[in-house]
Amino acid sequence: MVLGTAVSGLVATGAAVAEQGQGASPVQWSKCADDVLAEIPAAQRERVTCANHPVPLDHRKPRGEKITIALMKAPATDQATKVGSLFINPGGPGGAGLIYSAYGTSFFQPEVMKRFDLIGFDPRGVGRSAPLRCFKTQEEADDVFGRISSAPVTRTEIRDTTKATEEYTAACKRTAGPLLQHMSTEDVARDLDLLRQGVGDKALTFVGFSYGTLLGATYANVFPQKSRALVLDGNVDPALRTSNGAEYDRQRAQGFELALDAFLKRCVAEGAKCAYSDGDPRAKFDQVRDSLREKPVTLASGEVVTYQSYVGRVSGDLYSIPRLKPLAAWLQAVYGAVNPSAALAVQDTPVLEAPLANKNGMADVNAGVVGDAEYLSDDSYYGVNCTDKPFLRIPGLFPVVAAKWERESPTFGRQQAASDLLTCPTWPVRHPDRWAGPWNKRTPNPVVVVGNYYDPATQYKFSQRMARQLGNARLITVDAFGHCILGKSTGADTLVTDYLVNLKAPADGQVFQSNTQPF
């Protein structure tokens, strides 16, 4: 029996072509379904193929119930010199990676696309891979998510958010089914090893971004001898994340603060190039943030800015270098709305690209949906995080913890406390099958760890810790803003290409610059 209903539309009807696997069933590639092809560039649609590959629901019962993993392959442009397959994970957790194989030019130099079949996949519980769903209808989801604040401040907000979060986890227990017990990163790593075998590779070549670095580190320690070349960009601290979820999130808040402070200092240094540089940007920012805790403001555009939306916009824009200049203009507009007598230097703010992955946690809510519309999002973010990250099972701790973190990290402490600390204590999985170390197994080739100095979501010291914790690793650094850097720094990209293709590990400790700057 195969569990999951959203995978049937991935592959269009047609003859499947089997490829030789090693000890596991071969992946059956076929034409991608039209709705999948519609999500990728037209030039790639004739090149890619798709598959739904069965894996055990519970890896301790390999002959038991199965789920299917959705994959897409963009073939190497020079099949005669192909090295093998390169698997990609975009992060999250909960990031749907299926179509990333069609966007290789965003991350890799041409030699990588020439020498590897790029393979994107939706991890278990995500997207088209047996999605983990806590609701049956969008109406149910809207009712719960609509009462959850991303950074509750008042007693009423905290009470309402806590109650709605408990309803959310109860809905997961009631609706999500047996997959709920098997959403750990170790489960995904074991899926990945079966996918590797299914495409006929003797060892894994893998690039993981953000949360994908935990997947890569887990694979390197569960299957060290099957690890060919692993690149981890925008790293978590694996030991901390899997031993103390609250402390990990506390340090994440500190990482956002470091990135914000560096951005504001850079704004001062850039002068007129930064629309927020007039006066003291740090003091302006703090004054506006504290004012918004008391009441929202309305911009000339009609946009209503609340404390929660202010913190959310800033934390989201710190992920991307191209967002920083328009962020400065927006901050100046908000400052002018809070302080009407202040002179404004407002620039037009362009439409911002969507975030790389589901970093905010909650499934997207479709505005305007009424009645019994089918719930089409998934709840994999908490499915993974609340399995991997241990928390005290005391949801009432939030007000005390949030206040403490806010004193240390005044802009992002409360937001980070609300992320997992409210949900995971009541998550309905008591004894998860997860990997919590060791992290020091030695792989045949060094793992390449890439970190940014001012990465907000996975601060630079996390990359340093990842490199130290792994049994065989090299760290390369980019002096840059933004979350993750592959495809944006020629120096780092060149070293990564040589490593992936030729297994030439870079010298440890090299520092590079980004191709683009904030202003």
Side-chain angles (χ1 to χ4, degrees):
M1 178 181 178
V2 175
L3 177 68
T5 60
V7 296
S8 59
L10 174 65
V11 180
T13 302
V17 178
E19 294 193 358
Q20 184 62 43
Q22 299 173 353
S25 60
V27 173
Q28 305 289 318
W29 297 105
S30 187
K31 184 179 185 299
C32 299
D34 289 343
D35 65 327
V36 176
L37 294 175
E39 298 181 23
I40 68 174
Q44 293 286 339
R45 292 172 189 169
E46 294 299 319
R47 299 186 66 244
V48 300
T49 51
C50 290
N52 293 316
H53 192 67
V55 298
L57 169 66
D58 182 350
H59 283 282
R60 294 169 298 190
K61 301 175 181 177
R63 298 186 184 278
E65 193 168 8
K66 299 293 193 295
I67 58 174
T68 52
I69 304 300
L71 303 96
M72 177 186 287
K73 176 174 70 173
T77 58
D78 185 355
Q79 289 288 312
T81 62
K82 185 177 79 170
V83 176
S85 303
L86 190 162
F87 288 84
I88 306 166
N89 180 274
L98 178 69
I99 65 174
Y100 275 74
S101 55
Y103 289 89
T105 55
S106 298
F107 315 107
F108 305 120
Q109 294 180 334
E111 186 69 11
V112 174
M113 276 86 75
K114 177 181 177 182
R115 304 293 294 278
F116 289 95
D117 292 340
L118 299 187
I119 298 181
F121 66 102
D122 288 352
R124 60 169 55 207
V126 177
R128 290 179 168 87
S129 295
L132 183 79
R133 287 178 174 154
C134 295
F135 302 101
K136 293 182 179 179
T137 70
Q138 188 64 47
E139 187 179 42
E140 292 178 90
D142 291 348
D143 176 62
V144 172
F145 294 149
R147 291 180 282 122
I148 292 177
S149 169
S150 62
V153 175
T154 67
R155 289 183 179 179
T156 298
E157 287 174 342
I158 292 172
R159 183 190 66 235
D160 291 349
T161 299
T162 301
K163 185 175 186 298
T165 300
E166 290 173 350
E167 291 177 24
Y168 173 59
T169 58
C172 293
K173 181 178 182 179
R174 186 171 60 247
T175 306
L179 181 60
L180 190 69
Q181 303 294 325
H182 306 288
M183 284 292 294
S184 73
T185 299
E186 181 181 356
D187 287 314
V188 181
R190 293 186 180 280
D191 293 342
L192 185 56
D193 193 59
L194 293 178
L195 301 180
R196 171 195 65 78
Q197 295 177 57
V199 300
D201 284 8
K202 294 181 179 179
L204 180 71
T205 302
F206 172 84
V207 174
F209 300 90
S210 190
Y211 159 78
T213 64
L214 181 65
L215 175 57
T218 301
Y219 188 94
N221 284 277
V222 177
F223 303 105
Q225 296 307 310
K226 296 297 183 181
S227 300
R228 176 188 173 273
L230 310 180
V231 178
L232 311 181
D233 180 14
N235 290 261
V236 307
D237 176 342
L240 181 60
R241 186 183 178 109
T242 57
S243 65
N244 189 332
E247 178 60 23
Y248 178 81
D249 287 351
R250 173 177 169 262
Q251 293 189 26
R252 282 197 80 217
Q254 294 169 355
F256 277 98
E257 297 287 348
L258 290 169
L260 172 62
D261 194 59
F263 162 68
L264 295 174
K265 289 177 178 175
R266 181 69 174 267
C267 183
V268 172
E270 295 288 349
K273 291 181 181 179
C274 175
Y276 200 51
S277 63
D278 185 51
D280 183 343
R282 178 80 254 183
K284 289 161 60 178
F285 183 92
D286 293 346
Q287 184 252 330
V288 168
R289 180 198 63 222
D290 294 343
S291 174
L292 290 173
R293 286 174 66 98
E294 302 301 323
K295 63 177 181 178
V297 296
T298 302
L299 305 186
S301 65
E303 177 186 359
V304 177
V305 181
T306 66
Y307 167 73
Q308 287 82 4
S309 67
Y310 184 76
V311 174
R313 168 73 182 260
V314 173
S315 63
D317 286 3
L318 288 172
Y319 273 60
S320 174
I321 297 172
R323 297 183 188 187
L324 297 182
K325 185 172 182 177
L327 171 63
W330 183 79
L331 289 174
Q332 183 65 19
V334 179
Y335 177 73
V338 172
N339 303 275
S341 61
L344 299 184
V346 180
Q347 302 173 6
D348 291 335
T349 303
V351 177
L352 300 178
E353 61 188 83
L356 177 66
N358 181 19
K359 66 181 178 62
N360 290 322
M362 288 300 182
D364 294 331
V365 176
N366 297 323
V369 174
V370 295
D372 293 330
E374 185 180 2
Y375 180 62
L376 297 176
S377 300
D378 68 61
D379 298 278
S380 54
Y381 175 90
Y382 287 116
V384 177
N385 263 357
C386 297
T387 298
D388 282 347
K389 295 166 68 176
F391 288 85
L392 293 175
R393 300 188 71 87
I394 309 174
L397 287 177
F398 172 77
V400 174
V401 172
K404 179 178 185 296
W405 291 9
E406 198 167 38
R407 288 192 293 272
E408 302 169 343
S409 302
T411 302
F412 303 105
R414 182 168 293 271
Q415 180 195 58
Q416 284 300 308
S419 177
D420 290 350
L421 186 66
L422 277 167
T423 306
C424 293
T426 58
W427 192 251
V429 177
R430 286 285 183 175
H431 303 290
D433 53 345
R434 67 189 188 94
W435 184 265
W439 300 103
N440 61 354
K441 299 288 184 68
R442 188 170 182 84
T443 53
N445 302 306
V447 176
V448 172
V449 175
V450 186
N452 288 1
Y453 279 152
Y454 308 115
D455 189 318
T458 52
Q459 60 168 302
Y460 179 65
K461 71 179 181 182
F462 286 2
S463 290
Q464 292 177 305
R465 293 175 188 170
M466 174 71 86
R468 287 197 300 266
Q469 289 169 29
L470 294 174
N472 186 13
R474 305 283 172 83
L475 173 64
I476 57 178
T477 302
V478 183
D479 182 1
F481 291 89
H483 182 39
C484 302
I485 199 64
L486 287 185
K488 305 179 185 71
S489 171
T490 300
D493 293 343
T494 299
L495 292 186
V496 166
T497 298
D498 201 11
Y499 168 70
L500 289 171
V501 174
N502 303 312
L503 291 180
K504 181 180 178 182
D508 195 52
Q510 298 181 74
V511 180
F512 298 93
Q513 297 296 316
S514 172
N515 295 346
T516 59
Q517 297 298 322
F519 300 99

